[in-house]
Amino acid sequence: MAARLAHAPGIYMRTWLSAVLLCLAATLAHAAGIKFVRIPADAGGPALKAVVWTPCADAARTLTIGPFELKGQRDCPTVGDKLPLVVISHGHAGTYFGHHDLAETLADAGFVVAAINHPGDTHADMSHAADLREFAERPADIKRLIDYMLANAPDAAHVDPARIGFFGFSRGGYTGLVLAGANPDFVHAHVACPDPTWPICKQIRDHDLPRQPLTHDPRIKAYVLADPLDE
């Protein structure tokens, strides 16, 4: 599915340069601490499963979880204060482990990194994958993740709220565009519909579009968008 995007002020200036500046300001560590957390359901959406990587002073170990081999230490005490935060949004049918190598590298360099499974569009749950609602829910998921990381996460006291970055791939890249201020033109989206009964095809055809305003988040200061779904 592709949607035209417009009105994303300043997004092209908040990309690699900003990410590099954040990196230069980070604190060096030795490994990635890995924590599994659950963000409770609230008025903004359902419960979210998340993984948080943090700077850790211990040596890395190999952790095998399903088909993934992670490098880090489970529940390692976080090293450093006023640490930059990077949030990650996976692509269609992805998982919060999809970019674990990036997360581990950033945590080893002094970042706090948080990734979620977007409900309804993961490898294990595709219930919203062909529904237009997913494209409204994804940015809201990331906002809720940031809210949690700044207020209620075990490492909230270690995070600098003035230094927040975002990485997204494919639908995650789309998610970043919306968070930066873009507003999709779903009505004129070019959607391949081999099965016209798909919810997203019917919703666009019938102009049954998301009614709630899309979520933008000015707290995010740097964006890296890989292969975004953007036209």
Side-chain angles (χ1 to χ4, degrees), residues 10 19 37 104 142:
V37 300
E104 291 158 6
I142 295 297

Side-chain angles (χ1 to χ4, degrees), residues 7 43 47 50 95 106 116 122-123 137 164 181 193 203 210 229:
H7 308 128
T95 165
L106 287 172
I116 57 168
T122 71
H123 70 294
E137 292 166 355
I164 300 175
C193 286
Q203 289 163 335
L229 192 96

Side-chain angles (χ1 to χ4, degrees), residues 10-69:
I11 186 171
Y12 296 107
M13 297 184 66
R14 292 182 289 177
T15 53
W16 283 105
L17 178 59
S18 297
V20 169
L21 292 175
L22 278 174
C23 188
L24 291 174
T27 303
L28 294 179
H30 299 290
I34 302 172
K35 299 181 179 72
F36 293 85
V37 300
R38 183 178 176 87
I39 301 170
D42 59 22
L48 299 173
K49 295 179 180 179
V51 182
V52 178
W53 290 263
T54 59
C56 167
D58 296 339
R61 300 176 57 188
T62 298
L63 306 173
T64 301
I65 302 178
F68 297 96
E69 285 194 352

Side-chain angles (χ1 to χ4, degrees), residues 133-149:
R133 289 179 300 167
E134 170 66 11
F135 294 86
E137 292 166 355
R138 275 176 158 268
D141 293 342
I142 295 297
K143 179 185 180 299
R144 292 177 58 218
L145 173 62
I146 294 173
D147 290 344
Y148 172 81
M149 292 302 300

Side-chain angles (χ1 to χ4, degrees), residues 38 69 73 84 111 128 148 189 206 217:
R38 183 178 176 87
E69 285 194 352
Q73 284 277 1
F111 289 79
H128 290 183
Y148 172 81
D206 299 339
D217 198 328

